[in-house]
Amino acid sequence: MKFFLTFFSLLSLLPITVHAALFNAESIQLDNGLQIIAIPNHRAPIVHHMLWYKAGAAQEITGHSGVAHFLEHLLFKGTNHPERPLAAGEFSKHIQKLGGRDNAFTSNDATVFHQTVSKKHLKTVMQMEADRMRHAIPPEEHVLSERDVIIEERNQRTDNNPHARFYEQMRSALFSEHPYGRPIIGWSKEIQAMNSTDTKNFYNRWYHPNNAILVITGDVTLDEILPNIQSIYGVIPKGTDIPIRHFPVIPDFEGKTVVTQHESQIKQPQWTRGYRVPSFHKNKEDALALQVLENILDGGATTRLYKKLTVEKKKAINVSLSYSPNNYGTASLWISATPAEGTSLQELETEIDALLTDLIAHGVTDQEISEAKTRLKNSAIFARDSLSTPAQIIGQALVTGSNLKDIETWDIQIDSVTKDQIQNVSNRYLKTGEQETYNYVTGYLLPKEETQK
Amino acid sequence: MKYTILIFLILFSAPSWAQSNTQNTDRFLDIQELKTPSGIPVWLVEDHSVPVISLQFAFKGAGSLLERPQQQGLTQLLSNMMDEGAGPLDSQAFQQALSDHSISLSFSGGRDQFGGSLKALTIHKNKAFELLELALTQPRFDAEPLERMKQANMSRIKNSMTDPNWIAARLMNDRAFAGHPYAQNSGGTLSTLPTITGDDLRKFVKNEFSRERLMIAVSGDITAKEALTKIDTIFSSFPHVKREMDLVPTPLKNKNTIILFEQDIPQTIIKIIFPGIRQGEQDYYAAKIMNHIFGAGGFGSRLMEEIREKEGLTYGIYSHLSQMEWAETLSISTSTQNENVKKLLSLIKAEANKIKETPITENELQNAKDYILGSMPLALTSTNALSSIMLSLQIDNLPATYLDTLDTHINAVTLEEIQAVAQRLLDMDNALIILVGQPQNIDNTSIVTTLPNVE
């Protein structure tokens, strides 16, 4: 059997040495501006090929939410490439025939197309992906039926699900007047009005090599694949006039903002708070401190939030905190909790606020910091135990304004976060109680109040 | 503990890249079949490419199918409690030890087996094996974490009660397997969970965890010698108990029935359940391929092409072959706006009739074979995936060489066999249909207002 024999060479890199790069990614930029990342992973004779466009829901024009995602769907509806036209639906079918899998996703900051195939089919996949960078012109009848599919997608993901509708409202409140406040899939009314002119404009504005990043991971090296990349992707002309991604600067709230949502299907109330905090791109130092803080507060069953609120005080069934620093614009941090039987959402909120107040007043311990850093650094090693995860991490970081060096040395940077920095971000971003202005929105998801009989 | 579910991969694959290597000695997956000094069988794939070790095991037969109706949720609760304190370590101390060494340890209560999964960095392997041994041989089942896990489960159930997909799955199990333990709610109910005690859990471990039921798969950065030694230390103290199950296979119940649970949502969740097919039956591989072409293949499958791509009626439609120890089904899952349910059901019926009446083309058959065989290596991309595949093979009573020879079986399937198996399986008049939502113009439904085995 082949692919378990030859990897001892990698072993020398494996111990956690401070100076080793996390993913050993290789990078180069083509003359037409396309950025190439190769991440060797020789475990199996397969490759994961991802094309990231630096344009997502946040680049939509106000009133036209959902267009980036709609376009993502339409890229599977064929091309009018002069030499290799492809009929609607043939893209995925062809990948399957090669024994591969493909899909795509849209986020606030990016639209991403990806395939996993046997190494021997990499060239074919590159050709197919390159062809639809400039030649995807879906026939009008497919545009309309695909819009119906997206209406069903929205029903399935959001409108059937009170938790999803609540989160949508929370985001909309937290990022009011900011494109991140729009649902990526789009508002229902705006989805119904989407048409091929909208998608064409978006496509022509953003889908160019100089606004994209190609990430290939698997049983390859950059040297080995660069000639094909050059001849396939390198010949696509550079796009002109690609707009600079620009976001409004939104002020903090002058009053406390609260979203209270009553839903007939809800049997288990939920408390949620979203904070606007810096992203890695906007403030690297704060973002790193927030990552360590996130892990100190919610790094498992023995860390602050769960230990205090669930194990010791029995006020919450569960409680979680999540912070994702990889946004091009500002980022958000979410705390979410389910109250214990007999505990009201107000009581739960008081407990969470008290925990945050204590954090701000007394800081965290050296031991908490050291444990959190160890968990974070180990998570980076576990990430390598996957074909696609390193590609996702690197792609996501690069489309949101980070550079490869930041990613490869992330463990070292995490190590350098100090107690003072953690104290500082706690104090600046997680304040509770009466303030001049607020960077957060608090939400209550509750059952429908019974009408008195 | 975290709600981790062991995903048993659908074994549905074979080597295409391996086909290009013509030597017969080339195996798709180099599984070593070993035995520990004390006689425990272990399957191992050594892979030193990442400093990670994964161990997965199962006690086959020790699943929720052993639960009495008033004990529903016992194995679920047991799976939550196995990492909540053992030996000298109480719940927090045990969790701290896992966390300090970045060890992932999780347990899962399935219908047919109780399983566990351990993943650790090589540098922490000794600690990981030590904690697994402690968890398995000296679990504490203390009152505090037990109550906490009960509360978490009850909250999960209340949350699920808003989820139309969960409701549809609950109704499907209740009706399809009526009269069999599979019909029960393996996640427990709001009234059974509070009554389960620490002693109940102890008794289950004592009576049901035996060497005869044990299956083990190890993968990653470890040698055979070391793996065998460690496994004996962890598992050899379990008793030898030979046990016969007094269960019989359960054929699909409530055929030709439409069950409706009304919920105020814009879209109806649809599940259609047919009798399935067992591994080992003559038509099995034909059924795998037919299922792929009909609805399991995603884009390119006939259901997806007709119902999503042409009609725009749904975001997704999939068919699925499922096999448990005592039952097997073929099911279709989809969803559509309430007003389109009738149209969608009639389109599914038309597609079922089409594949039964008209032979598929050679091209379709070849494409399906190419995908099934060609996509096999895609499942080998993580240490956990390797041990997971090996454990599934053992649970399904398949040989370690199964994946090496699958291509022979797949390639032998003919057009006629595909049509014959479609005729056998896709009988819409014999199906059980579950609807959750407010479907319009659907007649002869049997309306359910209270979910069975939930409250």
Side-chain angles (χ1 to χ4, degrees):
Chain A
M1 216 284 328
K2 290 263 176 294
F3 37 94
F4 299 113
L5 298 179
T6 53
F7 312 117
F8 297 95
S9 58
L10 270 178
L11 269 176
S12 58
L13 302 170
L14 299 181
I16 319 162
T17 52
V18 236
H19 302 295
L22 283 179
F23 300 110
N24 293 305
E26 306 168 285
S27 169
I28 195 169
Q29 188 154 29
L30 305 186
D31 289 343
N32 63 4
L34 182 65
Q35 191 180 353
I36 314 295
I37 304 288
I39 315 162
N41 174 341
H42 303 289
R43 179 174 243 178
I46 52 182
V47 289
H48 187 63
H49 171 272
M50 299 186 101
L51 186 61
W52 295 69
Y53 289 103
K54 290 185 255 183
Q59 279 64 53
E60 290 158 353
I61 295 162
T62 306
H64 296 264
S65 63
V67 167
H69 171 252
F70 190 20
L71 177 60
E72 173 219 311
H73 277 232
L74 293 179
L75 249 72
F76 293 88
K77 296 299 180 181
T79 71
N80 65 348
H81 193 278
E83 288 136 48
R84 292 174 301 274
L86 200 64
E90 286 303 312
F91 193 100
S92 295
K93 281 185 231 172
H94 194 69
I95 298 289
Q96 279 202 14
K97 199 173 151 42
L98 303 177
R101 295 192 190 124
D102 76 316
N103 213 328
F105 61 87
T106 307
S107 69
N108 280 313
D109 295 313
T111 310
V112 187
F113 301 86
H114 56 94
Q115 302 83 23
T116 313
V117 290
S118 165
K119 175 185 177 176
K120 66 185 175 206
H121 297 307
L122 177 60
K123 188 179 176 187
T124 309
V125 165
M126 285 199 259
Q127 188 72 67
M128 290 168 68
E129 194 62 84
D131 283 354
R132 66 177 173 178
M133 186 182 287
R134 293 306 322 138
H135 297 280
I137 305 293
E140 198 60 35
E141 73 268 21
H142 285 289
V143 174
L144 294 176
S145 82
E146 199 59 24
R147 194 172 66 191
D148 291 340
V149 168
I150 289 172
I151 291 168
E152 293 294 349
E153 181 180 359
R154 190 187 148 92
N155 281 335
Q156 185 181 322
R157 287 185 194 278
T158 310
D159 296 321
N160 265 10
N161 180 345
H163 291 103
R165 281 187 280 111
F166 175 59
Y167 181 64
E168 188 175 86
Q169 290 300 309
M170 288 289 294
R171 276 198 76 86
S172 173
L174 184 64
F175 287 106
S176 91
E177 299 299 315
H178 190 287
Y180 287 172
R182 295 193 289 252
I184 290 164
I185 197 167
W187 297 111
S188 279
K189 282 279 185 322
E190 294 179 5
I191 292 176
Q192 283 158 23
M194 292 187 306
N195 59 49
S196 51
T197 311
D198 297 330
T199 51
K200 241 176 255 168
N201 289 340
F202 195 94
Y203 184 61
N204 288 331
R205 197 172 297 135
W206 299 106
Y207 280 48
H208 298 283
N210 42 334
N211 193 46
I213 302 168
L214 179 66
V215 186
I216 298 176
T217 174
D219 191 15
V220 292
T221 60
L222 183 58
D223 276 355
E224 187 184 341
I225 56 179
L226 194 55
N228 281 335
I229 292 175
Q230 287 282 14
S231 67
I232 292 168
Y233 282 106
V235 296
I236 303 169
K238 202 172 185 152
T240 50
D241 304 326
I242 296 172
I244 290 167
R245 289 184 280 173
H246 176 75
F247 295 131
V249 178
I250 46 174
D252 281 349
F253 304 101
E254 305 243 337
K256 271 191 187 175
T257 305
V258 171
V259 174
T260 307
Q261 200 162 322
H262 290 273
E263 295 276 349
S264 61
Q265 292 150 34
I266 286 291
K267 307 241 174 344
Q268 172 66 74
Q270 188 77 29
W271 181 91
T272 300
R273 186 181 285 158
Y275 294 88
R276 291 198 301 239
V277 298
S279 61
F280 202 87
H281 177 232
K282 291 288 177 191
N283 186 334
K284 191 166 115 180
E285 192 175 304
D286 281 2
L288 287 162
L290 283 165
Q291 283 191 292
V292 179
L293 179 62
E294 175 198 26
N295 203 282
I296 288 171
L297 294 177
D298 183 16
T302 56
T303 53
R304 280 202 186 197
L305 282 168
Y306 188 83
K307 187 184 168 111
K308 293 274 179 228
L309 296 171
T310 305
V311 179
E312 291 175 8
K313 294 194 165 176
K314 311 282 178 208
K315 296 294 182 190
I317 298 284
N318 57 52
V319 52
S320 68
L321 184 148
S322 68
Y323 164 61
S324 163
N326 288 314
N327 274 7
Y328 190 76
T330 194
S332 52
L333 180 152
W334 296 84
I335 305 177
S336 203
T338 307
E341 191 73 35
T343 301
S344 69
L345 292 185
Q346 281 66 30
E347 208 182 335
L348 180 60
E349 181 172 324
T350 306
E351 290 290 344
I352 291 171
D353 284 348
L355 187 145
L356 295 173
T357 305
D358 176 70
L359 168 76
I360 291 162
H362 302 109
V364 295
T365 66
D366 291 330
Q367 188 178 344
E368 283 179 304
I369 297 174
S370 138
E371 288 174 7
K373 285 179 175 177
T374 303
R375 281 190 296 267
L376 287 167
K377 286 182 288 179
N378 284 343
S379 75
I381 308 178
F382 281 119
R384 294 209 317 252
D385 185 24
S386 155
L387 178 70
S388 58
T389 304
Q392 279 160 11
I393 290 172
I394 291 176
Q396 180 65 27
L398 294 180
V399 291
T400 54
S402 298
N403 60 50
L404 196 56
K405 185 165 168 266
D406 282 336
I407 304 161
E408 292 283 24
T409 59
W410 176 78
D411 53 343
I412 300 166
Q413 299 178 61
I414 284 290
D415 240 349
S416 71
V417 170
T418 66
K419 200 170 176 174
D420 283 349
Q421 285 174 308
I422 295 171
Q423 181 80 3
N424 187 300
V425 292
S426 309
N427 190 35
R428 267 190 299 150
Y429 303 119
L430 298 181
K431 261 210 285 253
T432 62
E434 297 303 317
Q435 297 164 45
E436 297 241 321
T437 59
Y438 301 87
N439 66 328
Y440 63 84
V441 173
T442 308
Y444 311 106
L445 179 60
L446 291 156
K448 201 142 225 159
E449 276 156 11
E450 301 282 334
T451 46
Q452 298 288 323
K453 279 180 188 162
Chain B
M1 75 100 241
K2 309 250 163 184
Y3 289 112
T4 315
I5 299 161
L6 258 190
I7 296 164
F8 294 106
L9 294 186
I10 306 161
L11 289 166
F12 185 160
S13 21
S16 85
W17 67 272
Q19 288 167 349
S20 59
N21 302 319
T22 46
Q23 299 134 332
N24 296 329
T25 49
D26 258 9
R27 293 184 65 187
F28 172 72
L29 186 58
D30 194 9
I31 300 175
Q32 303 176 49
E33 286 181 274
L34 308 168
K35 243 190 184 108
T36 67
S38 87
I40 300 172
V42 178
W43 289 15
L44 169 73
V45 170
E46 270 185 69
D47 174 3
H48 302 278
S49 60
V50 183
V52 172
I53 294 166
S54 164
L55 183 155
Q56 299 199 21
F57 66 90
F59 290 102
K60 187 178 172 180
S64 62
L65 85 173
L66 298 176
E67 293 168 358
R68 296 193 307 276
Q70 65 272 24
Q71 284 186 316
Q72 286 174 83
L74 190 151
T75 48
Q76 161 78 26
L77 207 48
L78 179 62
S79 72
N80 302 153
M81 286 301 292
M82 291 296 292
D83 62 354
E84 288 293 339
L89 305 177
D90 69 8
S91 161
Q92 279 284 299
F94 193 88
Q95 289 289 328
Q96 187 73 49
L98 292 173
S99 172
D100 285 348
H101 302 89
S102 297
I103 296 164
S104 305
L105 173 63
S106 63
F107 297 88
S108 66
R111 282 205 167 81
D112 292 314
Q113 68 275 321
F114 188 88
S117 171
L118 178 73
K119 186 171 87 164
L121 298 173
T122 312
I123 48 169
H124 295 312
K125 64 186 170 189
N126 289 335
K127 194 70 186 173
F129 291 133
E130 184 192 309
L131 290 171
L132 175 61
E133 183 197 348
L134 211 53
L136 279 170
T137 56
Q138 301 176 55
R140 287 166 64 121
F141 305 137
D142 287 338
E144 186 280 325
L146 180 62
E147 183 55 28
R148 186 152 42 86
M149 292 304 135
K150 286 181 185 180
Q151 294 296 331
N153 275 292
M154 293 196 284
S155 169
R156 171 185 54 79
I157 292 169
K158 286 182 211 160
N159 253 330
S160 301
M161 288 163 80
T162 66
D163 175 359
N165 287 294
W166 184 86
I167 292 170
R170 180 80 285 277
L171 285 167
M172 175 178 88
N173 291 328
D174 183 79
R175 294 306 200 271
F177 309 121
H180 189 276
Y182 287 159
Q184 295 181 167
N185 188 347
S186 58
T189 80
L190 294 178
S191 53
T192 59
L193 284 165
T195 67
I196 296 169
T197 66
D199 279 342
D200 294 333
L201 304 183
R202 274 177 212 108
K203 215 163 109 188
F204 191 93
V205 170
K206 185 163 174 277
N207 294 341
E208 310 298 345
F209 287 8
S210 68
R211 293 263 303 252
E212 276 63 29
R213 283 180 160 157
L214 182 59
M215 295 168 171
I216 302 178
V218 181
S219 60
D221 189 17
I222 189 167
T223 62
K225 186 161 176 278
E226 184 177 15
L228 294 180
T229 310
K230 294 294 184 194
I231 283 164
D232 253 353
T233 313
I234 299 166
F235 292 98
S236 64
S237 65
F238 283 103
H240 288 274
V241 184
K242 188 98 186 136
R243 225 173 241 285
E244 295 299 328
M245 306 280 258
D246 57 350
L247 285 166
V248 290
T250 174
L252 181 67
K253 302 292 183 341
N254 289 296
K255 289 189 221 174
N256 197 13
T257 309
I258 303 178
I259 306 284
L260 169 62
F261 185 89
E262 288 182 311
Q263 186 146 356
D264 182 15
I265 44 178
Q267 201 185 45
T268 298
I269 304 297
I270 301 169
K271 281 189 187 295
I272 306 173
I273 304 104
F274 306 90
I277 186 165
R278 290 203 78 74
Q279 176 97 39
E281 286 190 58
Q282 185 156 17
D283 290 343
Y284 182 75
Y285 296 101
K288 285 283 192 195
I289 298 176
M290 188 281 291
N291 179 46
H292 177 84
I293 293 167
F294 183 61
F299 289 102
S301 80
R302 288 183 169 196
L303 291 177
M304 194 76 111
E305 284 299 300
E306 288 303 314
I307 292 166
R308 170 173 162 155
E309 296 298 279
K310 287 200 188 137
E311 300 286 338
L313 285 173
T314 187
Y315 177 54
I317 180 163
Y318 297 92
S319 67
H320 175 62
L321 280 172
S322 143
Q323 196 180 179
M324 296 181 283
E325 195 61 20
W326 306 98
E328 55 281 331
T329 58
L330 188 158
S331 57
I332 298 171
S333 302
T334 186
S335 59
T336 191
Q337 284 175 57
N338 290 321
E339 49 270 35
N340 289 334
V341 175
K342 190 170 185 168
K343 184 175 178 191
L344 193 147
L345 286 175
S346 70
L347 285 170
I348 292 175
K349 187 167 183 172
E351 280 309 306
N353 287 337
K354 189 174 152 201
I355 200 165
K356 281 153 67 177
E357 286 156 15
T358 318
I360 62 163
T361 65
E362 273 295 351
N363 200 26
E364 269 179 302
L365 180 60
Q366 194 55 51
N367 286 350
K369 288 177 177 176
D370 286 349
Y371 174 75
I372 289 167
L373 298 176
S375 63
M376 281 183 73
L378 273 48
L380 305 182
T381 56
S382 71
T383 309
N384 259 354
L386 297 176
S387 55
S388 179
I389 286 172
M390 287 189 283
L391 189 65
S392 316
L393 289 173
Q394 294 179 66
I395 287 173
D396 293 343
N397 289 322
L398 295 168
T401 53
Y402 178 76
L403 298 172
D404 306 329
T405 56
L406 188 57
D407 54 343
T408 321
H409 299 292
I410 292 292
N411 283 326
V413 172
T414 65
L415 294 175
E416 293 72 28
E417 286 167 341
I418 298 281
Q419 190 173 2
V421 82
Q423 285 167 359
R424 170 182 158 184
L425 295 175
L426 296 176
D427 180 1
M428 281 296 273
D429 295 330
N430 254 327
L432 161 64
I433 299 178
I434 311 281
L435 305 174
V436 179
Q438 296 177 307
Q440 288 171 23
N441 307 315
I442 303 292
D443 304 324
N444 299 319
T445 57
S446 157
I447 295 179
V448 176
T449 51
T450 308
L451 287 173
N453 286 325
V454 171
E455 304 246 3

